[in-house]
Short mmCIF file of all heavy atoms in Angstrom, two decimals:
data_model
loop_
_atom_site.label_atom_id
_atom_site.label_comp_id
_atom_site.label_asym_id
_atom_site.label_seq_id
_atom_site.Cartn_x
_atom_site.Cartn_y
_atom_site.Cartn_z
N PHE Y 1 84.37 135.11 95.47
CA PHE Y 1 85.82 134.95 95.49
C PHE Y 1 86.20 133.52 95.08
O PHE Y 1 87.13 133.32 94.28
CB PHE Y 1 86.36 135.26 96.90
CG PHE Y 1 87.85 135.08 97.02
CD1 PHE Y 1 88.73 136.03 96.51
CD2 PHE Y 1 88.39 133.95 97.60
CE1 PHE Y 1 90.10 135.86 96.60
CE2 PHE Y 1 89.76 133.77 97.71
CZ PHE Y 1 90.62 134.73 97.20
N LEU Y 2 85.48 132.52 95.62
CA LEU Y 2 85.77 131.12 95.26
C LEU Y 2 85.55 130.88 93.77
O LEU Y 2 86.31 130.15 93.13
CB LEU Y 2 84.87 130.17 96.06
CG LEU Y 2 85.02 130.15 97.59
CD1 LEU Y 2 84.19 129.03 98.20
CD2 LEU Y 2 86.46 129.98 98.01
N THR Y 3 84.51 131.49 93.23
CA THR Y 3 84.22 131.33 91.80
C THR Y 3 85.37 131.90 90.96
O THR Y 3 85.79 131.31 89.97
CB THR Y 3 82.90 132.05 91.43
OG1 THR Y 3 81.86 131.52 92.26
CG2 THR Y 3 82.55 131.85 89.97
N GLU Y 4 85.89 133.05 91.41
CA GLU Y 4 86.97 133.72 90.67
C GLU Y 4 88.29 132.94 90.77
O GLU Y 4 88.99 132.78 89.78
CB GLU Y 4 87.15 135.13 91.24
CG GLU Y 4 88.28 135.94 90.62
CD GLU Y 4 88.00 136.37 89.19
OE1 GLU Y 4 86.82 136.45 88.79
OE2 GLU Y 4 88.98 136.63 88.47
N TYR Y 5 88.62 132.43 91.98
CA TYR Y 5 89.96 131.86 92.19
C TYR Y 5 89.99 130.34 92.44
O TYR Y 5 91.05 129.76 92.63
CB TYR Y 5 90.67 132.59 93.35
CG TYR Y 5 91.02 134.01 92.97
CD1 TYR Y 5 90.23 135.08 93.36
CD2 TYR Y 5 92.13 134.27 92.15
CE1 TYR Y 5 90.53 136.37 92.98
CE2 TYR Y 5 92.43 135.57 91.76
CZ TYR Y 5 91.63 136.61 92.18
OH TYR Y 5 91.94 137.89 91.78
N GLY Y 6 88.79 129.72 92.44
CA GLY Y 6 88.76 128.25 92.53
C GLY Y 6 88.80 127.71 93.95
O GLY Y 6 88.53 126.54 94.17
N ALA Y 7 89.18 128.53 94.93
CA ALA Y 7 89.25 128.12 96.33
C ALA Y 7 89.72 129.32 97.14
O ALA Y 7 90.09 130.35 96.57
CB ALA Y 7 90.23 126.95 96.51
N THR Y 8 89.75 129.19 98.47
CA THR Y 8 90.26 130.31 99.28
C THR Y 8 91.77 130.43 99.18
O THR Y 8 92.34 131.46 99.51
CB THR Y 8 89.91 130.13 100.77
OG1 THR Y 8 90.66 129.02 101.30
CG2 THR Y 8 88.43 129.93 100.99
N GLY Y 9 92.45 129.34 98.75
CA GLY Y 9 93.90 129.39 98.57
C GLY Y 9 94.70 128.88 99.77
O GLY Y 9 95.90 128.65 99.64
N VAL Y 10 94.06 128.71 100.94
CA VAL Y 10 94.81 128.25 102.12
C VAL Y 10 95.27 126.81 101.91
O VAL Y 10 96.46 126.49 102.08
CB VAL Y 10 93.96 128.40 103.40
CG1 VAL Y 10 94.63 127.71 104.59
CG2 VAL Y 10 93.75 129.88 103.71
N GLN Y 11 94.35 125.91 101.53
CA GLN Y 11 94.74 124.52 101.24
C GLN Y 11 95.75 124.48 100.09
O GLN Y 11 96.74 123.75 100.14
CB GLN Y 11 93.51 123.69 100.83
CG GLN Y 11 92.71 123.14 101.98
CD GLN Y 11 93.49 122.21 102.88
OE1 GLN Y 11 93.48 122.37 104.09
NE2 GLN Y 11 94.18 121.26 102.32
N ALA Y 12 95.48 125.27 99.05
CA ALA Y 12 96.35 125.25 97.87
C ALA Y 12 97.78 125.65 98.22
O ALA Y 12 98.74 125.06 97.71
CB ALA Y 12 95.80 126.19 96.80
N ALA Y 13 97.94 126.64 99.11
CA ALA Y 13 99.30 127.07 99.49
C ALA Y 13 100.06 125.95 100.19
O ALA Y 13 101.24 125.71 99.90
CB ALA Y 13 99.22 128.31 100.38
N LEU Y 14 99.38 125.26 101.11
CA LEU Y 14 100.03 124.16 101.85
C LEU Y 14 100.38 123.01 100.91
O LEU Y 14 101.48 122.44 100.98
CB LEU Y 14 99.11 123.65 102.97
CG LEU Y 14 98.67 124.68 104.02
CD1 LEU Y 14 97.71 124.04 105.02
CD2 LEU Y 14 99.87 125.27 104.75
N GLU Y 15 99.43 122.66 100.04
CA GLU Y 15 99.65 121.51 99.14
C GLU Y 15 100.68 121.83 98.07
O GLU Y 15 101.48 120.97 97.69
CB GLU Y 15 98.31 121.10 98.53
CG GLU Y 15 97.42 120.44 99.57
CD GLU Y 15 95.93 120.46 99.26
OE1 GLU Y 15 95.55 120.90 98.15
OE2 GLU Y 15 95.16 120.05 100.13
N THR Y 16 100.70 123.08 97.60
CA THR Y 16 101.72 123.50 96.64
C THR Y 16 103.10 123.38 97.28
O THR Y 16 104.05 122.90 96.66
CB THR Y 16 101.47 124.94 96.17
OG1 THR Y 16 100.18 125.00 95.54
CG2 THR Y 16 102.52 125.41 95.19
N ALA Y 17 103.20 123.81 98.55
CA ALA Y 17 104.48 123.75 99.26
C ALA Y 17 104.98 122.31 99.39
O ALA Y 17 106.15 122.02 99.09
CB ALA Y 17 104.34 124.39 100.64
N LEU Y 18 104.10 121.40 99.80
CA LEU Y 18 104.55 120.02 100.04
C LEU Y 18 104.70 119.22 98.75
O LEU Y 18 105.73 118.59 98.52
CB LEU Y 18 103.56 119.28 100.96
CG LEU Y 18 103.74 119.42 102.46
CD1 LEU Y 18 102.94 118.35 103.19
CD2 LEU Y 18 105.19 119.35 102.90
N PHE Y 19 103.66 119.24 97.91
CA PHE Y 19 103.64 118.33 96.77
C PHE Y 19 104.37 118.89 95.54
O PHE Y 19 105.11 118.17 94.87
CB PHE Y 19 102.20 117.96 96.39
CG PHE Y 19 101.46 117.24 97.49
CD1 PHE Y 19 100.18 117.60 97.84
CD2 PHE Y 19 102.06 116.20 98.19
CE1 PHE Y 19 99.49 116.94 98.85
CE2 PHE Y 19 101.40 115.53 99.21
CZ PHE Y 19 100.10 115.91 99.54
N ASP Y 20 104.19 120.19 95.26
CA ASP Y 20 104.79 120.75 94.05
C ASP Y 20 106.22 121.22 94.28
O ASP Y 20 107.10 120.98 93.45
CB ASP Y 20 103.96 121.93 93.52
CG ASP Y 20 102.54 121.52 93.14
OD1 ASP Y 20 102.29 120.31 93.08
OD2 ASP Y 20 101.70 122.40 92.93
N VAL Y 21 106.44 121.91 95.41
CA VAL Y 21 107.76 122.49 95.65
C VAL Y 21 108.72 121.47 96.24
O VAL Y 21 109.84 121.29 95.77
CB VAL Y 21 107.64 123.75 96.54
CG1 VAL Y 21 109.01 124.27 96.93
CG2 VAL Y 21 106.88 124.85 95.79
N LEU Y 22 108.28 120.75 97.29
CA LEU Y 22 109.16 119.74 97.90
C LEU Y 22 109.11 118.40 97.16
O LEU Y 22 110.02 117.60 97.28
CB LEU Y 22 108.78 119.51 99.36
CG LEU Y 22 109.32 120.48 100.41
CD1 LEU Y 22 108.98 119.95 101.80
CD2 LEU Y 22 110.81 120.70 100.29
N GLY Y 23 108.02 118.15 96.45
CA GLY Y 23 107.90 116.88 95.72
C GLY Y 23 107.61 115.70 96.61
O GLY Y 23 107.92 114.55 96.27
N VAL Y 24 106.98 115.94 97.76
CA VAL Y 24 106.66 114.87 98.72
C VAL Y 24 105.70 113.87 98.07
O VAL Y 24 104.80 114.25 97.31
CB VAL Y 24 106.04 115.49 99.99
CG1 VAL Y 24 105.44 114.43 100.89
CG2 VAL Y 24 107.09 116.30 100.74
N THR Y 25 105.89 112.58 98.36
CA THR Y 25 105.11 111.50 97.76
C THR Y 25 104.17 110.88 98.80
O THR Y 25 104.64 110.33 99.79
CB THR Y 25 106.05 110.39 97.21
OG1 THR Y 25 106.98 110.98 96.30
CG2 THR Y 25 105.27 109.30 96.51
N PRO Y 26 102.85 110.94 98.59
CA PRO Y 26 101.94 110.23 99.49
C PRO Y 26 101.86 108.75 99.10
O PRO Y 26 101.73 108.43 97.92
CB PRO Y 26 100.60 110.94 99.27
CG PRO Y 26 100.69 111.55 97.91
CD PRO Y 26 102.14 111.72 97.56
N VAL Y 27 101.92 107.86 100.09
CA VAL Y 27 101.86 106.42 99.81
C VAL Y 27 101.10 105.72 100.92
O VAL Y 27 101.20 106.08 102.09
CB VAL Y 27 103.29 105.84 99.60
CG1 VAL Y 27 104.16 106.11 100.80
CG2 VAL Y 27 103.26 104.36 99.28
N PHE Y 28 100.31 104.72 100.55
CA PHE Y 28 99.49 103.96 101.50
C PHE Y 28 100.13 102.60 101.75
O PHE Y 28 100.33 101.84 100.81
CB PHE Y 28 98.09 103.73 100.94
CG PHE Y 28 97.30 104.98 100.68
CD1 PHE Y 28 97.35 105.60 99.43
CD2 PHE Y 28 96.50 105.53 101.66
CE1 PHE Y 28 96.61 106.75 99.18
CE2 PHE Y 28 95.75 106.69 101.42
CZ PHE Y 28 95.81 107.30 100.17
N PRO Y 29 100.46 102.26 103.02
CA PRO Y 29 100.91 100.90 103.30
C PRO Y 29 99.73 99.93 103.22
O PRO Y 29 98.70 100.15 103.86
CB PRO Y 29 101.45 100.98 104.74
CG PRO Y 29 101.50 102.43 105.08
CD PRO Y 29 100.49 103.11 104.21
N GLY Y 30 99.88 98.89 102.39
CA GLY Y 30 98.85 97.85 102.32
C GLY Y 30 99.07 96.82 103.41
O GLY Y 30 100.03 96.90 104.18
N GLY Y 31 98.17 95.83 103.49
CA GLY Y 31 98.30 94.80 104.52
C GLY Y 31 98.32 93.41 103.94
O GLY Y 31 98.23 93.23 102.72
N ALA Y 32 98.42 92.42 104.82
CA ALA Y 32 98.53 91.02 104.39
C ALA Y 32 97.30 90.58 103.60
O ALA Y 32 97.38 89.71 102.75
CB ALA Y 32 98.73 90.13 105.60
N ASN Y 33 96.14 91.21 103.88
CA ASN Y 33 94.93 90.85 103.14
C ASN Y 33 94.61 91.91 102.08
O ASN Y 33 93.45 92.25 101.89
CB ASN Y 33 93.75 90.72 104.11
CG ASN Y 33 94.07 89.76 105.24
OD1 ASN Y 33 94.62 88.70 104.98
ND2 ASN Y 33 93.76 90.15 106.47
N GLY Y 34 95.62 92.42 101.45
CA GLY Y 34 95.42 93.47 100.46
C GLY Y 34 95.51 94.83 101.10
O GLY Y 34 96.59 95.39 101.19
N LEU Y 35 94.37 95.35 101.61
CA LEU Y 35 94.38 96.69 102.18
C LEU Y 35 94.37 96.69 103.70
O LEU Y 35 94.83 97.62 104.32
CB LEU Y 35 93.15 97.49 101.71
CG LEU Y 35 92.98 97.71 100.22
CD1 LEU Y 35 91.90 98.74 99.97
CD2 LEU Y 35 94.27 98.14 99.56
N GLY Y 36 93.78 95.66 104.29
CA GLY Y 36 93.56 95.67 105.74
C GLY Y 36 94.76 95.20 106.52
O GLY Y 36 95.71 94.65 105.98
#
């Protein structure tokens, strides 16, 4: 099934809903020393 469809589809459904349909933007807050 994974070979045919690329995944089980559970993660894909959630990520499609948030990132593709809602257009939510993931962003990382950096720190005073770059990342920390």
